[in-house]
Each structure stands twice: as structure tokens, then as C-alpha cells.
Amino acid sequence: MTTSEDAAVAKLDKMSDNLKRVEELSQRLIEVMAHHQPMRKSLTGPNEDVFSNAATAYWAKAMENPGAIFEQQMAFWGKSVKHFIEAQHMFAQGKFEPPADNTPQDRRFANPLWQSNPYFNFVKQQYMLNSQAVRDSVAAMEDLDETQKRRINYFADQIVEMMCPTNFLSTNPDALEKAVETEGQSLVDGLENLIRDLEENNGELIVKLADEKAFELGGNVATTEGAVVYRNEMMELIQFAPSTDEVHEIPLVIFPPWINKYYILDLKEKNSLIKWIVDQGYTVFIVSWLNPDPSHAEIGMEDYIQDGYLRAIEEVKSITDQKQVNAVGYCIAGTTLNLTLSLMKKRGDKSVKSATFFTTLTDFSDQGEFTPFLQNDFIDGIERECEQQGVLRSLIMQRTFSFLRSNDLIYGPAIKSYMMGEAPATFDLLFWNGDGSGLPGKMAVEYLRGLCQRNEFVGEGFDLFGEKLSIKDVTIPTMSITCETDHIAAWKDCYRGYQQSGSRSKNFVVSESGHIAGIVNPPSKKKYGHYTNADMKGSAEEWMDGATYNEGSWWPTWDAWLSPKSGKKVPARAPGDSDHPVLCAAPGEYVKKKAFK
């Protein structure tokens, strides 16, 4: 045999071995699924209700005007038949090429074979026709209220995204090419990745986005030097070591969202907001929240405020020997900081001199992309889950958020992992994203019912501590940092709530990019700019029309606002004091606890 023949035989042998391995792994996959206990109604109910109610509303409207549906179907069938005839015509002429393709650009179809190969091009064009037919049918529905319309749009989008041909091996040229190139090894690796993800999550399919073994808390993420100087059952309080000889006398305490872990603000030195603030000469504290389990079922909003916010503020004042602090709240922690400030106003407590809110919602009158998940049927399912589990588990929230960007957070990663056989990325942001936290059952229901559904904080008042807390009670100087493409806390919604606060000194900023990248935007990168406008009398659109665009990060803009509110310079402070001994080095112990499954 020649050398080339030997190589061909070796390739065939390897392919054969890999196909046998695929068969063995398939049996293992069957065993994993056979032993999987189906999720209870309390878990599946919320998601099922979104789809079933959207489908019910769609068919109810369809039956009111079947002629319109038939007309749409006839148009769809006509385009499909025409597409098939055009493809057949090219073959009849002896041309191995696709017909004219005027479909829009879509990054899922970047492989040249989607354009040049008649089979893949036919599949792509037909998918585009199908997708448009679904969306046209939904758009043609009349007399729907806004909630129904958003639910049906969400339902339709999920169907369209799920049925994309790139999600199936037989119609994904990238996956097929790699399978041939690797003699089937990519399929073996993909099956191993799939089984690993199923086994690690008790049979639930959650795509691993990052290589967890590549990161170590305190090693290559969460590395800013500091120490835990206080701990209770709700949180650890971390004080960071100074990097300047002098610091502002008034300290800064940061409250991150407890739906995630604090180190999104301290991933690595070059993009760490915490490190940057320390370097500007501030004494910085941050709260590292408890990751709850079923024993914490009865922890509510009052506990977060009393044992989290108010306790942290008092301890920071004691450690620094100051009467006031400046405070920051990020996302849900910003919403709760507003509640805390309202309570402090009613109590005459002036411990907070200024407050900054990152991507913070206070007015939930427009539920935006979360509309499908904030209706009674869905929240009823969440409430059942919380009653049975004691917590709203991280995997439920992760799944809900992921479906809002399903191509980027579900199907795209699944294709790379399971079809292409690629290892999870070594990307710190994705590692953090997968290191989630649950919510105590009582707190989750209070937040969803009172704030998100009934919108009480900007209405008749949110009832806590025997008080009716209102956004109008927030009267200290404030700044709100929002993000232009944020799909979790849309900047216009943040603006609407912020407008209603009682502060006479309001400063509103819109950073380019989204919920994370717009906040974690170090000046050194010179990547995203930001918009500013002192006039907040008009609508969000009017604010943006009159805004000034500023090159670069908002961090220096914020520093220029915060610095005059932070007092004179004093000698730098080491973490802790005689009453607050160092309990352990940052990032502490609470941050290492994994979410309850």
C-alpha cells in the first residue's frame, strides 16, 4: 500500500473507533436520562405557563379571524413552493449552485457553504421564510393588550430561535466539517461535554459556559488586596487595603446584587472597578452576601436592609470613625439601597451623604422584556418553588435570563460544546456568570409581588418596618449610571424611576454597552463612551436628544462628582480596627459557597 493509502486507512480506522465511542457514550447518555427525576411542577410550571398561555392567546385570536390566518398561510406556501421550484430549476440546468439569495445577513450563517452549497442554502432560505411567516402571523394579530402581545412575541421568538438549522447536526456545516476533519473526534468530545453537563446538574441541561478549573477566587479573579472585617448571617463586610498614602476621610461602601457575587467588580486588576476606586484614594468597603440555602427561607427584604445595609453602614462608620458614608448599589441592590434611604429619611438617619445607583430600576410600570415572567401564572409557579425549596434557585433565574438572549447564552454555546466538541471558554466573565446565587424564598416573593408586579415603591408605598417607603423620600445627592443596551434594566426605565426621586441633586449617565460591560468599563480600554445631560425635566428621549456624548469610561466622570462629597484627605487606613479584627483575607468565605441546587 502507498503512504496515502495507509493514511486513508488510518483515518477510516480512527473514524470507526470514534463512532464506536459515540455509540458507547450514547448508551451512557440514555442511562443519565433514565435516572433523571423530572422537575416538579413548581419548577417547570413558570416556563410552561409562559408558553401555554401565549399559545392559547394566539389560537384564540386566530379563531376570531381564520381568514387572515389562511391568507398568511397561502402567502407562505406560495413563497415556499416558489423557492423549491427555483432550486429545482438550477439543478435542471445542470448547475450545482443555489438560486438568488436575498435573505438578510445573520451571523449564525457565516459559513460560506450557507451561500454556495445548494443544500445548505435551500435549508437556510426556507428557515428564513418560516421565521418570517411566524412573525408576520403574530404581527397581524389585533385587539391584543400589550401584555398578551409581548407574551406571544416572546413565544414566537423562542420557537424561531429553537428551530434554526444551525441547532441540528445534519444542517450545521461547521459541525459536519469538523466531524470529518477530526475523524469523528469532535462528536465524541461533544457527547462527553453533554453528559458532563447533565451529570453535574442532576440531569438538567445547563450548558457550561466557562472552564471552572481555570479560575481561583483570590488567585486570578477577586484579587484586590483586602480583608473581611465583619461577618453576620447575612453578609461579610470586606475592607480593601489602600494603595495611596492618603485617602478621602468619608468612606465608600458598595452593595452588589445578591443574585450574583460581588467579584464582577473585581474580576482582574486591569478591569477591576474596586481596584480603580482604591487607586483614586478612597477607603472602599464591599458587602459579600450570603448564598442562601433552604434554612434561609424566611429571610426577607427587612433582613437585607436591617442586617445588610444598615449594619454595614454602621460598621463602616465605626471602623473609619466617621459620621457618614457614601454608598453604591448595583441592580437589585440599588433598588434596595433606595428602599433603605427612604427608611433612613423617615427615621431621621443622615448616615449616607450621597448614593450612586448602577443599572437600578425603581419604577416597574413597564416590565419590558420581563413581561412574560412577571404575570401571576409565572409568579405563582415561582411562589410554589419557594414554598417547596425555601429558595428561588440560581438555575431557574439563570435559565430565565438566558432565554432572553437564547442565541448567545443557550444555542450558540450548546453548538460549540455539543456539536463542535469544544472545551468551555477560559473567560472570567463567563466563569462569574455561572457562579450564581439563589434568593431566599420570602425575599424573592416580596420583591416580585410588591416591587415588580404592584410597583408600590413609586405608587402608594412599599410596606416595610411599619412604614410606607417611597422613592420621593430619597432626597440626598445621587447619581444613576445606566447602560444603553441593557436588556435587564433598560436605561429609559431607570430614567423614569430616577426622575421621581425626591433628590434635588440628580445626575444621570448613560454608558454605552450593556448591563455588565457598560459598568465594568475601565478608562484604560477607551472602549465605550457615555452620555450626560443635567436637564431631567423631559422624557427619556428628550434627555438623550439633549445629551452630550463623552469619549471613554464614565468612571472619571463619577470620580469628579464623588470626590467633593468625600471630605478632606487623611492618612490611609489599614483594614479593620481594634474592635474589628481581620477575620480572613479577601475575598472571604461567603463568596466561595456554591448555589443550592
Side-chain angles (χ1 to χ4, degrees), residues 21-22 30 52 55 130 150 173 185 187 248 279 361 426-427 529:
R21 179 66 178 143
V22 167
I30 292 170
S52 63
N130 297 346
R150 285 184 174 180
Q185 185 62 46
L187 300 180
H248 290 282
D279 289 345
L361 291 168
T426 53
F427 185 19

Side-chain angles (χ1 to χ4, degrees), residues 5 10 23 33 85 112 141 150 153 173 184 223 317 327 352-353 370 375-376 432 461 463 574 581 596:
E5 288 174 332
E23 185 176 350
M33 299 307 294
I85 291 172
M141 299 180 71
R150 285 184 174 180
N153 275 323
T223 59
K317 286 165 54 182
V352 178
K353 186 170 185 179
F370 286 92
Q375 308 314 307
N376 279 332
W432 167 84
D463 193 1
F596 172 75

Side-chain angles (χ1 to χ4, degrees), residues 466-488:
E467 302 279 2
K468 290 286 187 180
L469 304 183
S470 169
I471 186 70
K472 294 181 175 58
D473 297 325
V474 180
T475 57
I476 63 173
T478 57
M479 177 176 277
S480 177
I481 312 296
T482 64
C483 300
E484 189 174 19
T485 59
D486 193 333
H487 68 288
I488 295 173

Side-chain angles (χ1 to χ4, degrees), residues 375-386:
Q375 308 314 307
N376 279 332
D377 45 25
F378 189 88
I379 304 301
D380 288 346
I382 292 295
E383 200 160 1
R384 290 192 299 271
E385 159 74 7
C386 291

Side-chain angles (χ1 to χ4, degrees), residues 414-461:
I415 289 167
K416 290 180 179 178
S417 184
Y418 307 147
M419 289 191 207
M420 308 291 286
E422 296 180 8
T426 53
F427 185 19
D428 54 5
L429 179 59
L430 292 179
F431 168 73
W432 167 84
N433 187 70
D435 188 18
S437 178
L439 300 179
K442 182 179 178 180
M443 174 268 147
V445 174
E446 285 178 331
Y447 180 82
L448 292 170
R449 294 292 193 195
L451 292 173
C452 297
Q453 280 196 314
R454 297 194 293 267
N455 201 25
E456 292 172 346
F457 190 48
V458 297
E460 59 188 35

